[in-house]
Structures are given as structure tokens and as C-alpha cells.
Amino acid sequence: MGTVERQVATASMTNDAQSQVTDGFHLVIDALKLNGIDTIFGLPGIPITDFTRMAQAAGMRVISFRHEQNAGNAAAIAQQGDYEEMDQLAIAKPLCKAAFRVLQAEDIGVGIARAIRAAVSGRPGGVYLDLPAKLFAQTMDASAASKSLIKVVDPAPRQIPAQDAVQRALELLKSAKRPLIVLGKGAAYAQVDTEIKSLIEKTGIPYLPMSMAKGLLPDTHEQSAAAARSYVLPEADVVMLIGARLNWLLSHGKGKTWGGKDHKDWGGQKFIQIDISAQEMDSNVRIDAPVVGDIGSCVSALLAGIGSNWVKPPADWLRAIAERKDKNVAKMADTLAKNPAPMNFHSALNVVRDIIKANPDAILVNEGANALDFTRSIVDMHKPRKRLDVGTWGIMGIGMGFAVAAAVVSRQPVIAIEGDSAFGFSGMEVETLCRYNLPVCVVVFNNNGVYRGTDVNPTGGPDVAPTVFVKGARYDKLIEAFGGVGVHATTPAELRKAMEEAIRSRKPTLINAVIDEAAGTESGRITSLNPKSGEKK
Ligand code: TZD
């Protein structure tokens, strides 16, 4: 049906005195509700101010932010969203997994169904749905409208792996002398924790959790090789990746990290890769045994193939890993126990580590450079999907958006460990934390700047160095302006007391944790990615 015909049909329907009329506003709300979406993260304003009012009136949670970017970050972890005007479709297209525009009220149902399916099926990703202002005021016969809505059936369908691919993977795994499993965030997203645990424990293979797979098995699990990472990566002969990509976070599967001679040299490992996207295979090195399918189906198929008489990895491999682990853990324990003044990352994170251990259901949000890298390696996670961080792209500014959404959706306490620079990208949202009275404890690791606070302007001019902030800034005062709890902590004991109190009270809290301005390193753990000047004088 063409646009004109459709408008005529709608008009004639609305002329019927008996028929009820609805409009674009309500259709969008109904389509979202029909699909179980109960929370919107956004920012009201033309043309969606009334929409936000109506959505709230219709029983949805409408969480308003101070900046759309932060609403977007919130929606990113909850897979729900809402946006503004301009030709945003064109802007969003290259950045999103899919982008659609709905022009007619009767297409709202299709548009929302398509957006939901595109977002959650296959490899999940953000989807942009463009709803122009004029759509909201369009009217429609209420009964035709309700028939136009679609409840998505099986939005993320299973993708069963081929049996021969599973067989190939098992044979390769069986041949390994020094096998290793790497768990990525795909493994955590799949929500098949029992099957993954059973695969790890039945095979007895040591594993490494990537950042957001931490806690999928408790980080204290005896098969975790995280504390011996730099030993197992170059030494392993067969590596099975489960929902983990061989991207820069894993040095692209080659180079010195993997025992290669230089940064492009292959270390000689064979790879089994389990991923929902076939395109992921061979993206950086050869994948000897690709297994394409959803993680749940793939892991179940592997478990079935393993049977009951699987031979555990050679004892000398396990012993060598255990020795490295013990040594590194003991060394780290010494470092954590020190009590320098001012605090450094280690002495502050020793506290965070204990707090997370005592509150394993709390959600840990994390961004920064040193603040990110040290937290990832020091703070053990005990339950799946409790750690949210900057992820693959390392985008600063996710902090408060993630924290708001994590608190709203899970209703668990949230702890956000933030570098002072990272916090600045979304810091205004502390007002949002206070407005909704969310149980979020923000800890700003304040070392006076980006990475550290010690740079000086080499010209001797009046400006400070580009990486340096106002020294001794009191971020805790920010939240006090909105009625939240602000704490200035200069020792681990003060930090511990403030964090315990924040968890207990569930009040929005910001702790300004003073960290030695010389404690960080340039770019945290990825100093080597900085281009070096070739200038010679
Ligand atoms: N802008 C955005 C949106 N993302 C980025 N990753 C950067 C800039 C560059 N960047 C990093 O990669 S980490 C970081 C920036 C600005 C902040 C590091 O300082 P911090 O953390 O205070 O947050 P530490 O603990 O002092 O290192």
C-alpha cells in the first residue's frame, strides 16, 4: 500500500465514530512494552518531551540523563534506547549494527521488531531506530494499530554448530600437550555458565578470562591461569577461544606476547575458535578449527563429544603454571599489603578487592588507564557478568551511563572505579545518580591528571602540561551539590570505611580517593601503542 492510500485508509477509519484512535506516541510505547522493554534511557526535549511523559504515565521507567551520550551508554548495556532529530540515520548507519527509519505509524510495530531482532541476534550490537517528530502525532484506528504490533518470537535464535567442525576441534584439543582456553565476553553474554564451567572442569584445561569474562568462573578458581598470563600465552600449543576475539587485547594472536620473535611473528600456536560470527575466523592468524554457532550450542556439542574418559592435560604443564601463579600471587600480596602515603593504585585496590569479595553481587564499573588495568588484574570477580568496563574500544565516558543502568536494571549496589580523567567524561551524571537515589558508589582515583599528574610545561609558560588537571581537586564536592554523600579519602582505611558505608546505606556516594600523582604509567599497560616521534635534532 502506498503512502497516500494508507493515509486515506487511516482517515476513513478514524471517521468511524465508534472506533478508537491511537497515535505514534502510543504505538511506540505499546510496541516497546509488547517486547518486554520496560526502561528507557534518554533525555527529554523536542520532539520527544511528551513521549517521555506518556511512557512514564504508561508505567515504563524513564531515566533521564544530562547528556544523550550517557543515555546511550546506559542503553548500551541494557540493549534499549532512544534518540533525537537531525539526519541521525545517516550518521548512525556506519557506526551501528543496523539503522532503520519509520515514517508511518502503522510501521512502528515492524520497525521496533526489526530493531530488537537486529540488536540481539547473532553478535549483539547497537541498533539505531529513527522515529521522526511527525510520526508521533499521526493517528490510527486503535484496533488496526494493535494488530500492527509484532512481538518478536525467538529474538536470538540458536545457531547449531556443524558436527564435523566440533569433531575437528576436539581432535585438535586432544592432541595438545599444553592446552589453554580463553574465555571472552561472548562466553559471558551467552549465559550458559554451568555448561562452560563443566567444559573447563571436565577437560581440566587451564583458562584465561578476558576482562568482561572475569567471574564467569570465580577468579579464584584453581584452573584460572590469569596470574600466569605472560607464561601461558607464549607456552601454550593449542588455544581454544570461546567468545573471545584475537584482537589487540590478545595482541592479534601473534608477536612477542605469544612467543613470536617480533611483533608480527606467529608464535606457533594452533587455534580453535568458537564464535557466533563466521567472519571472525582467520581475522588475524590462521584458525585451525573454527566452530561457528552460538556459544551455548557449541559448548554443549563439545561436552557431548568429550564424554567421560577425557584425558586431562599433562601434569608438567599444570605444575609449571601453578608454580608461576603461586610466585606471582605471593609477590602481588606483598605489594598490596604495603601502605604508602599517599596511596598508590595497589593499596587503594586492595580495599576494593575486599569490598567486592564481601559483596559478590555488586556490579563493578571500571574505566581509566591505570585505574582500569590495575583494577582488572587486582580485583577478583566472583560471579558472572558483574564487571562492566570500557571494552574492546577503550572508550572513556561509559562510567556513569553504565553505573546508572546497572543500578536501575539489577537493583544491586554498583561500584564505579574511575580514573579522574575518565570520570570527567560523564561526571555531570552524578546529579542523575542523586535524582534517582541510586545505590552507586563512585570512587575517583584522583592522581591529578590523565595517566598521572607530574608532567610539566617544558616552555616554562603559564599553562600547565596538557595531561595535568587542577591539583588536589575535590570531586567529592560535586555530588554534595546534589544531596549525595561526598567523602575525601587519603588512606586505605578511610577508603574502606567510606565504601562499606556506601554499600550499607545504598546512598549515591562519591569518594575522592587521593592517589600518588606519580603512581601511574603513561597509557597504563598499553604504553607500547603510543607512536614514537622519529624527529632527530
Ligand atoms: N577519549 C576517549 C573518548 N576515549 C579514550 N580512550 C581517550 C580519550 C584516551 N584515553 C585513554 O585511552 S585512557 C584516558 C584517556 C583520556 C584517561 C586516563 O586517565 P585517568 O586514569 O585519570 O582516567 P589513570 O588511572 O590516571 O591512568
Side-chain angles (χ1 to χ4, degrees):
M1 212 197 289
T3 310
V4 176
E5 278 171 281
R6 244 188 321 221
Q7 279 167 351
V8 172
T10 311
S12 72
M13 275 190 272
T14 50
N15 281 344
D16 179 351
Q18 304 307 314
S19 66
Q20 289 190 336
V21 171
T22 187
D23 59 19
F25 288 110
H26 291 92
L27 267 170
V28 174
I29 292 164
D30 291 348
L32 294 174
K33 287 177 81 171
L34 181 67
N35 283 286
I37 290 167
D38 55 11
T39 309
I40 293 173
F41 301 100
L43 196 161
I46 295 171
I48 52 131
T49 319
D50 274 347
F51 172 77
T52 58
R53 294 185 181 115
M54 291 179 202
Q56 187 172 56
M60 298 186 84
R61 291 199 78 184
V62 181
I63 305 293
S64 296
F65 281 81
R66 304 291 296 254
H67 190 313
E68 287 86 347
Q69 177 184 301
N70 302 318
N73 282 324
I77 67 158
Q79 290 284 0
Q80 304 161 9
D82 188 48
Y83 293 82
E84 254 250 24
E85 216 57 38
M86 182 165 80
D87 190 5
Q88 293 183 116
L89 182 70
I91 295 164
K93 231 175 194 152
L95 303 173
C96 295
K97 186 173 170 193
F100 310 113
R101 174 174 287 154
V102 177
L103 293 171
Q104 302 293 336
E106 61 257 52
D107 295 332
I108 288 172
V110 170
I112 287 181
R114 247 182 119 171
I116 290 172
R117 191 177 285 284
V120 302
S121 60
R123 168 169 293 158
V127 172
Y128 179 79
L129 187 62
D130 200 81
L131 304 178
K134 63 178 185 208
L135 179 85
F136 290 106
Q138 281 179 27
T139 53
M140 230 188 129
D141 170 74
S143 83
S146 100
K147 287 194 197 109
S148 74
L149 301 186
I150 296 173
K151 175 152 174 56
V152 180
V153 177
D154 192 14
R158 292 203 300 154
Q159 293 182 31
I160 313 291
Q163 204 44 51
D164 56 339
V166 174
Q167 228 26 62
R168 191 188 295 119
L170 284 172
E171 311 250 296
L172 182 52
L173 202 57
K174 252 185 222 159
S175 73
K177 299 268 180 300
R178 296 180 305 281
L180 176 70
I181 293 176
V182 178
L183 299 175
K185 67 170 170 285
Y189 283 177
Q191 306 201 28
V192 288
D193 311 335
T194 316
E195 288 83 353
I196 288 176
K197 182 166 184 277
S198 160
L199 181 70
I200 302 265
E201 291 181 348
K202 278 198 175 146
T203 58
I205 298 175
Y207 73 94
L208 277 183
M210 297 302 289
S211 191
M212 279 196 266
K214 277 169 69 73
L216 181 44
L217 282 83
D219 280 341
T220 47
H221 194 284
E222 66 160 345
Q223 280 173 256
S224 168
R229 189 180 193 271
S230 58
Y231 173 72
V232 291
L233 289 180
E235 290 295 323
D237 61 350
V238 174
V239 180
M240 180 156 80
L241 305 157
I242 306 184
R245 289 184 264 185
L246 277 180
N247 58 19
W248 69 277
L249 291 163
L250 282 169
S251 308
H252 306 110
K254 57 194 163 194
K256 289 188 177 158
T257 309
W258 294 87
K261 284 189 286 298
D262 57 52
H263 79 285
K264 282 201 168 155
D265 190 39
W266 174 50
Q269 289 81 4
K270 301 219 155 171
F271 289 103
I272 300 165
Q273 184 162 18
I274 300 174
D275 203 282
I276 199 155
S277 163
Q279 248 177 295
E280 200 52 50
M281 308 299 156
D282 309 310
S283 52
N284 284 306
V285 288
R286 182 175 66 215
I287 301 301
D288 298 276
V291 184
V292 177
D294 71 275
I295 304 282
S297 301
C298 293
V299 170
S300 299
L302 287 167
L303 271 173
I306 276 167
S308 52
N309 50 359
W310 181 267
V311 182
K312 302 251 157 136
D316 55 349
W317 172 234
L318 302 182
R319 203 176 317 114
I321 297 173
E323 274 168 21
R324 258 80 181 182
K325 256 179 81 170
D326 291 348
K327 209 171 92 199
N328 292 343
V329 167
K331 212 164 115 194
M332 180 58 92
D334 284 348
T335 313
L336 292 179
K338 289 191 181 126
N339 192 0
M343 283 189 282
N344 60 15
F345 288 97
H346 292 87
S347 57
L349 285 168
N350 190 35
V351 173
V352 178
R353 183 186 216 228
D354 290 349
I355 300 278
I356 292 284
K357 188 174 178 193
N359 300 278
D361 285 313
I363 294 178
L364 179 69
V365 171
N366 192 197
E367 61 178 333
N370 295 281
L372 176 80
D373 293 340
F374 283 123
T375 306
R376 184 175 52 236
S377 58
I378 293 171
V379 178
D380 289 332
M381 303 308 295
H382 304 273
K383 294 199 175 180
R385 293 173 295 281
K386 297 294 184 188
R387 185 183 154 87
L388 299 167
D389 66 31
V390 296
T392 311
W393 308 110
I395 309 294
M396 298 301 124
I398 51 85
M400 296 305 102
F402 277 18
V404 169
V408 165
V409 173
S410 74
R411 296 175 195 272
Q412 296 291 342
V414 176
I415 295 168
I417 303 298
E418 303 272 316
D420 49 342
S421 162
F423 174 70
F425 285 75
S426 66
M428 195 62 223
E429 302 295 346
V430 294
E431 189 269 341
T432 310
L433 300 180
C434 295
R435 191 170 1 118
Y436 294 106
N437 195 25
L438 297 174
V440 176
C441 172
V442 182
V443 184
V444 177
F445 276 19
N446 186 356
N447 63 351
N448 292 344
V450 181
Y451 309 130
R452 42 200 280 145
T454 49
D455 276 8
V456 284
N457 180 344
T459 70
D463 291 342
V464 295
T467 55
V468 170
F469 294 157
V470 168
K471 301 222 177 192
R474 293 289 301 271
Y475 291 97
D476 50 315
K477 300 280 180 199
L478 259 178
I479 201 166
E480 286 176 357
F482 308 110
V485 179
V487 183
H488 182 61
T490 58
T491 64
E494 286 169 3
L495 177 59
R496 188 181 301 271
K497 183 162 168 279
M499 289 188 78
E500 282 171 352
E501 179 57 20
I503 298 263
R504 198 198 55 73
S505 72
R506 294 178 69 92
K507 284 190 188 145
T509 300
L510 192 156
I511 304 167
N512 182 54
V514 179
I515 304 286
D516 183 354
E517 66 174 16
T521 59
E522 178 84 12
S523 306
R525 292 264 167 87
I526 50 175
T527 310
S528 62
L529 297 186
N530 284 310
K532 299 216 171 17
S533 167
E535 188 185 69
K536 296 194 177 82
K537 280 188 181 164

